[in-house]
Amino acid sequence: MSLCLEYQPSCPRLFLVWGYDSYKTQLMTIPFYVVALFSFAGTCYFSDKTGHRGFFIAGGVVCEIVGYIILIASNPLGSRYFGCLMIGLGIYICSGLSVMWINNNNAGHYKRATAAGMCTTVGNSAGALAGQIYTADTAPRYFKGLKVALGLTCAALVFCSLMIYNYYSLNKKKERVLAAMSADEIDQMNANLAHKDTDLTFKYLL
């Protein structure tokens, strides 16, 4: 998923090799940020409203997959530009909500800070790979880079689905344990909470 983040800054160069001048390429990037603003703001609102993160991230990943398929399979510039917009739509949803999801499901200041830092590190490491797969000799279509990014994005969808299932299973396990406890045991447990995500009263966001 993080590899997709490197595709957005390279869009001006992509438009240049499509035959547009530098002035038009800058103007053509404006819709990306407009789409990113409204899609991310709207997604965050409904994500908070429903109390879900993973499902919205998965939706963003699907948008990216569709965008990469369009870029690989389509020839008209208009459809390829739409493919770039689809990728941009998913990128900002996934990158922002991923950090939020990690912060929500890791209790404790040190654990949360470490998890968020690891997420950012992995995301930024995409730049090292992007330069190796989006090479000048594959211009102007960059099939090699697009196919690698598509494969990694599909893998991200699988891992996202597994994480949703894992959090769902952990929540159900905690519910079963709580249901088997007496009222006195629950009161004693609440009096000695460690305020960690392993606490039985902590519920993971899906």
Side-chain angles (χ1 to χ4, degrees):
M1 188 188 305
S2 58
L3 181 63
C4 304
L5 297 174
E6 294 301 318
Y7 192 70
Q8 184 77 357
S10 67
C11 279
R13 185 177 64 179
L14 180 64
F15 298 150
L16 281 173
V17 299
W18 284 358
Y20 296 97
D21 58 42
S22 59
Y23 178 74
K24 287 185 178 179
T25 58
Q26 295 301 321
L27 290 176
M28 291 172 68
T29 60
I30 294 175
F32 285 91
Y33 300 105
V34 175
V35 169
L37 171 64
F38 288 103
S39 64
F40 185 61
T43 302
C44 287
Y45 173 79
F46 287 108
S47 177
D48 286 340
K49 198 79 171 177
T50 60
H52 293 299
R53 299 281 190 249
F55 296 109
F56 290 96
I57 293 174
V61 174
V62 170
C63 289
E64 294 179 38
I65 291 174
V66 171
Y68 281 118
I69 292 175
I70 292 174
L71 283 177
I72 293 171
S74 182
N75 286 318
L77 293 181
S79 60
R80 279 191 271 165
Y81 183 76
F82 177 74
C84 290
L85 282 175
M86 289 295 292
I87 295 172
L89 175 68
I91 283 174
Y92 286 93
I93 292 174
C94 294
S95 58
L97 286 185
S98 294
V99 177
M100 294 167 64
W101 201 17
I102 287 175
N103 288 335
N104 291 144
N105 286 343
N106 287 277
H109 299 299
Y110 297 112
K111 184 176 182 180
R112 181 176 293 138
T114 302
M118 291 177 64
C119 177
T120 304
T121 300
V122 172
N124 290 336
S125 67
L129 179 59
Q132 306 302 316
I133 62 174
Y134 290 108
T135 54
D137 60 301
T138 61
R141 297 301 300 272
Y142 298 104
F143 283 127
K144 176 184 176 182
L146 293 174
K147 290 177 181 178
V148 172
L150 175 60
L152 292 176
T153 308
C154 290
L157 181 60
V158 173
F159 287 124
C160 181
S161 301
L162 290 175
M163 288 182 67
I164 293 173
Y165 176 75
N166 180 57
Y167 286 137
Y168 174 80
S169 300
L170 290 174
N171 284 339
K172 287 297 181 182
K173 183 178 180 180
K174 289 183 178 183
E175 290 175 5
R176 289 194 297 269
V177 174
L178 283 172
M181 295 175 65
S182 65
D184 291 337
E185 289 175 327
I186 293 176
D187 290 339
Q188 184 178 2
M189 178 193 67
N190 289 332
N192 297 283
L193 283 178
H195 300 291
K196 298 180 179 179
D197 52 79
T198 53
D199 292 338
L200 293 178
T201 54
F202 184 93
K203 187 175 182 180
Y204 295 103
L205 290 185
L206 303 183

